[in-house]
Amino acid sequence: MEKIILLIWNLIVFATYGLDKYNAINGKRRISERNLLSMAFCMGGFGAFLGMQILRHKTRHLKFVICVPLAMLLNIAVIYLLRRAQL
């Protein structure tokens, strides 16, 4: 069940990056960088990373180039530690 929740959350994060890209192109209200990065660090690192790579969004912002992969690594570490604690 946890895997499904994590997958859904990362799909939501990916979609949020897509929505922000759409809003940027169309001159609409943007999603704050703080919110985008917070979503990545709150177990949405993979969705954020895929949003950056597939949608080509925020790839020129050094903050995102550094922080999103860092968020992915932290997400992996949390998953590892939680799984290890269950043993």
Side-chain angles (χ1 to χ4, degrees):
M1 184 64 167
E2 296 87 8
K3 292 178 187 178
I4 294 171
I5 293 169
L6 193 57
L7 175 65
I8 291 169
W9 173 243
N10 277 276
L11 289 172
I12 290 169
V13 173
F14 178 82
T16 303
Y17 274 67
L19 176 63
D20 189 54
K21 172 83 174 197
Y22 173 83
N23 289 348
I25 292 170
N26 293 295
K28 297 186 177 190
R29 185 178 169 139
R30 304 287 303 279
I31 299 166
S32 72
E33 289 185 351
R34 177 182 289 177
N35 285 342
L36 291 172
L37 286 172
S38 294
M39 293 175 84
F41 278 97
C42 292
M43 300 307 291
F46 291 101
F49 184 77
L50 290 176
M52 286 181 64
Q53 299 304 311
I54 294 172
L55 304 172
R56 304 297 302 157
H57 189 51
K58 299 287 187 187
T59 56
R60 295 184 188 175
H61 293 78
L62 184 60
K63 183 189 318 184
F64 281 81
V65 171
I66 293 170
C67 289
V68 169
L70 178 61
M72 278 186 19
L73 289 174
L74 288 173
N75 292 175
I76 291 168
V78 167
I79 292 168
Y80 172 78
L81 292 172
L82 288 173
R83 287 189 174 265
R84 188 173 171 121
Q86 290 177 351
L87 296 177

